[in-house]
Amino acid sequence: MPPIINEDICTGCGICAERCPQDVFFGSERKKPPVVSFPEECWHCYACVMDCPTEGAITLRTPVPMMLNYK
Ligand code: SF4
Ligand code: SF4
């Protein structure tokens, strides 16, 4: 599932958009919560979640078939 931004606590720092190797947040503006422009491109690497400085501002759910691949 693509990332979900909690706009109530996101500071708009843009780090998640910078880290994303897939340009999922393409076109997002600085100092605003990022826009998930290409959700289908997310490969669930978790770079955006791990590097977000605001806990809970961005969350991700890994699809069940991918979870099984990790086993
Ligand atoms: S999990 Fe990875 S690919 Fe998906 S939006 Fe975050 S940084 Fe981009
Ligand atoms: S890294 Fe976190 S706080 Fe910064 S823009 Fe992304 S979701 Fe918002």
Side-chain angles (χ1 to χ4, degrees):
M1 312 294 273
I4 298 166
I5 310 292
N6 184 338
E7 296 193 5
D8 292 335
I9 57 175
C10 171
T11 62
C13 68
I15 290 175
C16 56
E18 283 173 15
R19 295 292 187 272
C20 180
Q22 294 293 94
D23 279 344
V24 167
F25 307 101
F26 181 81
S28 296
E29 292 178 48
R30 275 256 173 211
K31 301 193 173 152
K32 286 188 181 174
V35 180
V36 181
S37 310
F38 297 110
E40 68 280 2
E41 294 297 324
C42 177
W43 62 13
H44 307 93
C45 67
Y46 277 82
C48 54
V49 175
M50 287 190 287
D51 287 352
C52 173
T54 309
E55 192 175 342
I58 183 166
T59 52
L60 205 60
R61 278 190 301 147
T62 307
V64 171
M66 288 193 74
M67 285 175 152
L68 294 174
N69 281 339
Y70 292 140
K71 293 236 173 208

